[in-house]
Amino acid sequence: MNYIVLDLEFNGTYSKHRHCFFNEIIEFGAVKLDEQLNITERFSELVSPQISKKLNTHVAALTHIDIDELKKSGNTFSRVMSKFRKFIGDGVLMTWSNSDILVLMENYRYFFGNDRLSFIKYYVNLQKYCERAIGYTDSSHQLGLSACAEMLGLSFEDDSLHRAYNDAELTAECFKKLYDPELIKVYLHTCDESFYQRLTFKNYNICDLKDPGIDKKEMYFCCPDCGRRALRRSKWRLKNKSFRAHFRCLRCHKDFEGRITFKRCYDEVKVTKKIAPLPAADKAKDKRQPAKTQQKNGDQ
């Protein structure tokens, strides 16, 4: 089985024809790995923009690509895609995070009218794979390519990043360092219709307490000092897409605000809980009212 590690550079622009913002691909970079993870072929192509006549200043500064260089390539997206389809064959497509495959689908839909990449049979999100393989557990920040390479002791020049081929090669090196034949099976996805539905599903925060996706048994908090389950003393209110309420520990008399969010993903609801100091308004209200139980069940 061959692995194809792909990286794309793209230019954010506005399509007057479609009346929408669009990430137009300006460079393809890829390497093909054999079963021993040796590079057997390389792919590097610039794409002349067909939608925008100039590059975003941030993109130009990051990639060091100029518009004249792209135009001189004479490559249309259609022409480069024809070459890339032959290059990938029946191999497994791999990208660092799913942003590049989503951009590829976006361009495919714009130019060919269909965002299903029928020439791709299997896909691996190498960012997720490497996070698992390296034991990265910071859920608040995704692992960046350069950070992963540094953790693995791989050398690279900062100036070489943000060019498609260089990033593809560095990604392949990270994969080779962390290769696990059993773990890769977990992250190997067949590109059927359910794969595309999952890939394009937009996660959202549930903001209605009556939504069946909310598990009311999760709506409790424990005291951060003693660990005892705290008493909820106010109704739930929604603020910044999180449900919030005032809690008190009856053992150590600690007051705090419990915040809980429910994020609907394709096949699960992710629950996040945080504890914060009690807002000043609630503190003042407490001084005016005697303590009383307002909690019967978590959903009351």
Side-chain angles (χ1 to χ4, degrees):
M1 181 179 289
N2 292 319
Y3 299 105
I4 289 80
V5 182
L6 171 69
D7 188 85
L8 302 171
E9 300 299 335
F10 42 88
N11 182 46
T13 187
Y14 184 79
S15 170
K16 294 181 179 179
H17 176 64
R18 299 290 178 88
H19 303 290
C20 64
F21 286 96
F22 182 75
N23 294 307
E24 185 173 16
I25 296 174
I26 57 173
E27 186 179 29
F28 279 71
V31 294
K32 181 179 289 187
L33 309 176
D34 60 18
E35 292 184 350
Q36 287 71 46
L37 305 184
N38 297 312
I39 296 178
T40 58
E41 293 184 57
R42 294 170 169 81
F43 187 91
S44 182
E45 295 284 350
L46 295 175
V47 184
S48 180
Q50 297 169 255
I51 300 171
S52 177
K53 296 181 180 180
K54 60 181 181 180
L55 290 183
N56 179 291
T57 54
H58 175 70
V59 172
L62 202 62
T63 63
H64 304 294
I65 299 174
D66 62 61
I67 193 69
D68 292 334
E69 184 181 2
L70 295 175
K71 290 179 178 179
K72 286 179 182 178
S73 72
N75 279 331
T76 61
F77 176 77
S78 177
R79 183 179 299 172
V80 175
M81 276 307 309
S82 179
K83 294 179 182 179
F84 185 67
R85 282 195 295 265
K86 294 177 182 177
F87 177 81
I88 193 173
D90 59 356
V92 178
L93 180 68
M94 312 175 99
T95 63
W96 187 267
S97 85
N98 60 18
S99 60
D100 279 3
I101 190 172
L102 287 170
V103 168
L104 184 60
M105 290 167 58
E106 182 183 5
N107 280 255
Y108 213 73
R109 179 174 61 248
Y110 188 95
F111 291 106
F112 300 132
N114 182 10
D115 64 359
R116 299 309 192 244
L117 308 173
S118 59
F119 58 93
I120 298 175
K121 296 181 180 180
Y122 305 101
Y123 173 75
V124 173
N125 180 337
L126 278 179
Q127 184 184 56
K128 294 297 183 184
Y129 172 86
C130 289
E131 286 179 342
R132 172 75 175 275
I134 209 170
Y136 185 81
T137 57
D138 186 354
S139 59
S140 62
H141 295 91
Q142 292 183 321
L143 180 64
L145 174 58
S146 59
C148 182
E150 288 176 354
M151 292 169 72
L152 295 173
L154 298 173
S155 60
F156 60 92
E157 298 293 333
D158 290 339
D159 291 343
S160 68
L161 296 178
H162 305 298
R163 286 303 299 259
Y165 176 76
N166 294 332
D167 283 359
E169 190 171 38
L170 185 60
T171 302
E173 290 182 35
C174 291
F175 174 53
K176 189 172 183 177
K177 277 272 191 178
L178 295 170
Y179 180 68
D180 181 332
E182 293 303 315
L183 182 60
I184 195 64
K185 295 176 183 177
V186 177
Y187 291 88
L188 182 67
H189 299 286
T190 301
C191 297
D192 53 16
E193 185 58 30
S194 64
F195 164 78
Y196 287 104
Q197 290 177 359
R198 179 188 298 272
L199 189 64
T200 56
F201 183 83
K202 297 185 182 299
N203 298 342
Y204 63 90
N205 287 93
I206 298 174
C207 296
D208 183 355
L209 273 177
K210 296 180 180 179
D211 191 292
I214 289 183
D215 183 355
K216 301 297 177 61
K217 295 178 181 179
E218 292 284 352
M219 302 187 75
Y220 71 90
F221 283 84
C222 294
C223 176
D225 290 346
C226 69
R228 182 175 177 172
R229 186 159 173 167
L231 175 73
R232 179 165 60 84
R233 302 190 62 218
S234 69
K235 292 182 178 180
W236 289 105
R237 68 184 188 281
L238 183 67
K239 184 176 181 181
N240 296 331
K241 299 183 180 180
S242 71
F243 295 102
R244 307 181 181 196
H246 168 198
F247 287 82
R248 168 172 288 181
C249 176
L250 297 182
R251 173 179 290 177
C252 55
H253 306 293
K254 182 178 182 63
D255 292 301
F256 61 90
E257 183 178 69
R259 302 175 181 179
I260 184 168
T261 59
F262 296 89
K263 179 173 284 188
R264 165 61 71 183
C265 303
Y266 179 75
D267 53 6
E268 65 175 331
V269 175
K270 292 184 178 180
V271 180
T272 303
K273 294 181 180 180
K274 293 182 180 180
I275 289 175
L278 197 66
D282 285 349
K283 287 183 179 180
K285 185 177 181 180
D286 273 357
K287 292 180 180 179
R288 298 193 300 268
Q289 295 182 356
K292 62 179 181 179
T293 299
Q294 293 195 25
Q295 177 179 352
K296 184 178 181 181
N297 297 310
D299 60 337
Q300 296 297 310

